[in-house]
Amino acid sequence: GVTLMEMVGVVAVIAILASIATPMIFDAIRNAKVSAVVQDVNTLKTAVARYYADTGDYPFYRPTGTNDGQRQLLVNRNRSNNGDVPGWSGPYIETELENRITTGAFMEVNRSNGQWACDVDRDGNTDGNYVYLRMDNVDDETAERISQTIDGDGGQITGNDAWFSAGLVRRPNANQSSGSLSICLMRM
């Protein structure tokens, strides 16, 4: 038979192995989500550029939108949802996209305003208007990894060039812990 001490030893070894493997598993999951976002960003950059080349306008895309006018990368409808977009020759993406970080969380492609503007040259001032991807419910560590992958500034946490306030990947109004993330796709 098996003694109590042998069983305790086996359980202890399993617990030690689990404590080592669990963080690595969660890290791999986070890295896969970051890679999926970067892939979606590249897809959207191409889609926005093609949409603009065809229509002379910038698309509005909200996968959870209530009408086709909010899904212009897939459907030929104007923002008011009362007619077609002249020149539209999409669809510009193959399938409906979703927030890859938090399933069901808000996501959209839209035109920038002051809150969602970009500071590509990292001087502390916004650099004009952009078409951007907004994703909500993005935790700080994941957001910083996305910024590191796209901008190469994930470790920078102070000054005008902090990851959350400069570059193509930012938090709105340079608020590091807002939960929302803006990724600039194309200058307007």
Side-chain angles (χ1 to χ4, degrees):
V2 177
T3 67
L4 180 61
M5 285 306 278
E6 290 171 330
M7 277 181 68
V8 168
V10 168
V11 168
V13 168
I14 291 171
I16 290 169
L17 290 174
S19 70
I20 293 169
T22 300
M24 291 190 306
I25 291 168
F26 285 116
D27 203 39
I29 291 170
R30 184 183 311 268
N31 286 339
K33 289 180 177 184
V34 168
S35 293
V37 167
V38 171
Q39 181 178 353
D40 285 351
V41 165
N42 290 330
T43 297
L44 287 168
K45 283 180 178 181
T46 301
V48 167
R50 285 183 46 229
Y51 183 96
Y52 181 79
D54 288 348
T55 68
D57 199 3
Y58 300 97
F60 178 63
Y61 177 71
R62 184 178 291 164
T64 58
T66 57
N67 67 60
D68 285 343
Q70 296 175 336
R71 299 171 57 240
Q72 292 180 322
L73 293 174
L74 281 172
V75 181
N76 185 8
R77 294 301 282 175
N78 62 27
R79 285 180 184 237
S80 302
N81 200 38
N82 62 3
D84 290 344
V85 176
W88 193 93
S89 64
Y92 298 93
I93 55 177
E94 291 182 22
T95 59
E96 199 82 74
L97 298 178
E98 65 179 0
N99 185 322
R100 301 289 194 126
I101 305 303
T102 307
T103 302
F106 184 81
M107 180 184 119
E108 75 176 3
V109 173
N110 207 343
R111 303 168 194 193
S112 65
N113 57 32
Q115 182 179 9
W116 300 99
C118 297
D119 179 16
V120 178
D121 61 9
R122 303 177 165 295
D123 66 355
N125 300 306
T126 58
D127 299 325
N129 292 316
Y130 282 78
V131 176
Y132 67 92
L133 167 66
R134 172 186 168 186
M135 297 187 327
D136 287 357
N137 297 336
V138 180
D139 64 272
D140 288 340
E141 186 175 342
T142 303
E144 191 171 348
R145 286 187 191 193
I146 292 168
S147 187
Q148 176 62 35
T149 303
I150 293 174
D151 287 333
D153 63 356
Q156 182 67 28
I157 58 171
T158 59
N160 285 343
D161 58 348
W163 76 264
F164 52 86
S165 63
L168 296 174
V169 179
R170 317 183 52 214
R171 293 287 201 193
N173 298 321
N175 180 351
Q176 181 178 4
S177 298
S178 74
S180 293
L181 191 66
S182 169
I183 304 172
C184 295
L185 302 173
M186 178 181 175
R187 188 176 206 141
M188 294 172 52

